[in-house]
Amino acid sequence: MHVFKPCDLIHLTTQLAKNHHRQLLVLCGDHDWAITQYARLVDAGAEQTLTLSTHKQLQHAQWPEHLHEILGQEFSVALYDGYSGITPNKLAALSGTVKAGGLLILILPELSKLDNWIDPAIKTWLSYGYQTNTSLFLKRWQRLIPSLPISVLSQKYGANLNIPASQDNHQNNALQTQCRVISTLRSQLQKGCTSPSLLSADRGRGKSATLGLLVASMPEQSFIICTIQYRAIKTAFKHLALALGIEYKGYEKQLANLLYVPPDQVLTMSLDDTIVLVDEAATLPVPTLVAIEQRASQCIFSSTLVGYEGNGRGYTLKFADYLSKKHTTYTQLSLSQPLRYNHSDPLEFAINRLFALDSHYQTDAVATLNSIHFTELTAPQLELDESLLQQTFALLVSAHYQTTVNDFRQLLDSPSQRLFAIMQQSNILGVCLVNIEGQLEETIQSAISQGTRRPQGHLLPQQLFHVQGQAAFLSSRCARIVRIAIAPQQQKRQLGTQLLTYTEQQLSATVDYFGSSFGCDPQLLQFWQNSGYQLVKLGFKKDKSSGQYAAMVIKSQSALQCQQQSLQSYFEKTFYYQLMNHYRDLPYSLVLKMILKFKEKPLCEALLAQFRFVVTKNTNLEQYSPLIWQVITTHPTLLSDLPRISQQLAISLLLQNNTKEWVQQTLSLHSKKQFNIALQALVKELYARISIKSE
């Protein structure tokens, strides 16, 4: 058994300090032995040390539940006790707190035992009823760690220190780059340039600091900075305060000329003469970014493209495509060299490889789709084939605005998941990630019904049960489509539909129904409707980052058709009522997509006669709106071919019960006469459609 002393690390730490680098040090062995060695090597109570562990012998240890309790700090030494559970988000975030010249220490069993060691965190990725006796995520680590710039102190094998070669410090270059970026952005803003700017950087490049310094350089200009979590932009406030020589206590939402506002609130504000800074823009969905860009006269979008808090390639692909079509030119700037440590940092490289944070989708696939084939990919396949794994994860990241390294572990360690793919030779063109849910025993069903249990996983069955109490959704087997991702170069070629069809074919014999839950927007809803899925539930709480409600769609096999129809009918009946209060702010285009699929009832002769009478009159809103409402809700497809302004008027005014003043302003109907003409046109257009249908 090896015992280590602080002097054993002197050569390593000296060289790291000289290079302005950081490194990962793995303590491999029994838990108590590793804790003892850590106590010998490090003063765990020192201010420059952060210890994450649940071990009782470590008096100053903590085990925070949220990332914001870790980020925004700096330490010379940070410890992560793997025996407390390997949570990738937490470990990757901890790596971001290590200062130049410092160490991130990770406690693990001997590397030779990793493939058969099940850490306590594995249950995080296990749906109720599923078990596993191995972690492919850790098996991959077992293979990768010896090949990375990582030092290892082993109880059994002794020390294997990875001493880096001497390297010149390039921090001055990084500071010069930051100054040039600030100068460029300030010049464009002062000239009144309305095309947005995109600032991108990897973690540790001083991106948020750059925004704070930019604000400080324009003290007479008002700025709003928005991101999902306030703690993500503390650095911007800190550098603003330092530049202006004022105090920042770490919690102020407004400081000097900078105000923090969450993304959803920005969309409701008047932004006249205010420059909007969107930090961590890649964590927001593209529709939210577009909405902000349309409201703000001047804006800067800044984002970490490789990050552990959640990033989305949709930002770099879809949003950039939107900007290129709207603006002839827009500015793209980047900070490539780190400020907090020197370039080619060993810790950054190791963390990026261990968590596939450096995965980028690149394909040599040709334009023709003649050679494609569909297949199922298993987790063991992905673990053994690094290229396949990297392609898969990169595609999943590109399809969603918030993907974390926890999702990467789930991809390898969740036995309830199935993965189907479109392949072209060795290239992946698309993936469909599925979670198998339901088939719960009666005791669990009873506990769910009583509200005493909420078994992990099984999202769709539990949500569907709580609508009407139909236990069939709990006892039946469900395939929940978690995500469908198609390569950017291959989109709009019906590959998503083909992959979904293939997935259904492979699973139809073993599941009773399919379903999905997603942030509801017209395009996504159209995709699912075209594939035969029915909308049966809409959430009541908007997602803070997307500003969207969660939609739930299902497609049942014959055994559950009755239950599905009951859900559909209930949703349709309640939705018209909820439109008048809770969903008054839903975009009319989304409402239209929904109601056009609703079951229609015949228009009775009395209703037709009354409507025939109204169409010859000057329509009085207060008197006749209930009649028009009844016609539309009875036969919503009457709206399908009407002009956009009539559709919007019918939905915003009559179905959503918005005020006449609000509708007039929204539709640019600037006078009472214009409003009445538009309303009369709607009535006549509806009647014309009724006449055509009755012929």
Side-chain angles (χ1 to χ4, degrees), residues 25 50 104 116 149 178 180 182 189 191 209 219 256 263 305 452 486 508 540 542 560 588 617 625 650 667 672 683 692:
L25 171 66
L50 178 61
L104 172 63
N116 291 316
Q178 184 185 54
R180 285 197 298 270
I182 293 172
L189 293 173
K191 290 177 182 177
L305 299 185
T452 58
I486 302 298
S508 60
F540 292 107
K542 282 184 179 181
L560 287 176
Y588 89 92
K617 310 295 181 184
S625 57
L667 298 184
K672 181 179 179 181
V683 173
I692 293 172

Side-chain angles (χ1 to χ4, degrees), residues 433-451:
L433 186 64
V434 180
N435 199 52
I436 304 301
E437 302 176 348
Q439 221 168 25
L440 299 169
E441 59 267 31
E442 289 187 8
T443 54
I444 295 299
Q445 292 182 39
S446 177
I448 293 172
S449 177
Q450 295 169 16

Side-chain angles (χ1 to χ4, degrees), residues 442-626:
E442 289 187 8
T443 54
I444 295 299
Q445 292 182 39
S446 177
I448 293 172
S449 177
Q450 295 169 16
T452 58
R453 287 289 301 273
R454 190 179 179 180
Q456 185 160 292
H458 307 282
L459 168 70
L460 209 63
Q462 293 184 77
Q463 289 280 334
L464 295 176
F465 168 78
H466 285 301
V467 176
Q468 288 187 308
Q470 297 186 79
F473 289 111
L474 297 174
S475 59
S476 301
R477 191 172 172 86
C478 163
R480 176 168 64 91
I481 313 299
V482 178
R483 202 169 299 175
I484 297 176
I486 302 298
Q489 305 93 326
Q490 306 295 344
Q491 291 179 4
K492 302 187 185 304
R493 305 181 74 174
Q494 298 299 308
L495 289 183
T497 300
Q498 293 179 49
L499 181 56
L500 178 59
T501 300
Y502 174 78
T503 300
E504 292 172 349
Q505 291 170 348
Q506 299 306 301
L507 295 175
S508 60
T510 58
V511 302
D512 301 296
Y513 63 104
F514 296 86
S516 187
S517 180
F518 54 91
C520 195
D521 68 53
Q523 186 177 359
L524 270 179
L525 181 61
Q526 183 75 55
F527 169 81
W528 289 106
Q529 289 176 336
N530 289 345
S531 298
Y533 286 71
Q534 299 295 328
L535 179 63
V536 295
K537 189 176 187 296
L538 193 65
F540 292 107
K541 189 175 181 181
K542 282 184 179 181
D543 182 271
K544 287 185 178 180
S545 61
S546 69
Q548 296 173 333
Y549 296 99
M552 196 163 286
V553 295
I554 61 172
K555 183 178 184 178
S556 302
Q557 309 276 47
S558 57
L560 287 176
Q561 281 295 311
C562 181
Q563 288 85 350
Q564 176 175 323
Q565 290 172 6
S566 178
L567 281 179
Q568 287 176 243
S569 177
Y570 179 77
F571 175 72
E572 292 173 11
K573 290 176 182 176
T574 57
F575 184 66
Y576 282 126
Y577 170 78
Q578 290 162 344
L579 268 178
M580 294 188 291
N581 42 74
H582 193 78
Y583 298 130
R584 288 175 71 178
D585 61 343
L586 275 182
Y588 89 92
S589 57
L590 180 57
V591 176
L592 186 64
K593 292 283 186 201
M594 294 180 182
I595 65 177
L596 288 181
K597 293 293 183 179
F598 284 4
K599 187 176 180 180
E600 297 192 324
K601 299 176 285 292
L603 293 166
C604 66
E605 185 54 41
L607 188 62
L608 285 173
Q610 183 66 27
F611 199 69
R612 193 178 300 116
F613 171 74
V614 168
V615 79
T616 63
K617 310 295 181 184
N618 289 324
T619 306
N620 180 285
L621 175 64
E622 289 73 18
Q623 182 174 354
Y624 297 126
S625 57

Side-chain angles (χ1 to χ4, degrees), residues 241-254:
L242 288 172
L244 297 181
I246 58 179
E247 183 182 12
Y248 173 55
K249 297 178 181 178
Y251 56 78
E252 295 94 328
K253 301 296 177 67
Q254 182 163 12

Side-chain angles (χ1 to χ4, degrees), residues 267-281:
L267 297 177
T268 65
M269 296 175 62
S270 174
L271 301 175
D272 295 338
D273 302 321
T274 301
I275 297 171
V276 178
L277 309 175
V278 183
D279 201 7
E280 298 302 348

Side-chain angles (χ1 to χ4, degrees), residues 419-439:
L419 184 69
F420 300 91
I422 308 174
M423 302 286 297
Q424 187 178 60
Q425 298 176 356
S426 60
N427 296 310
I428 300 179
L429 302 187
V431 291
C432 178
L433 186 64
V434 180
N435 199 52
I436 304 301
E437 302 176 348
Q439 221 168 25

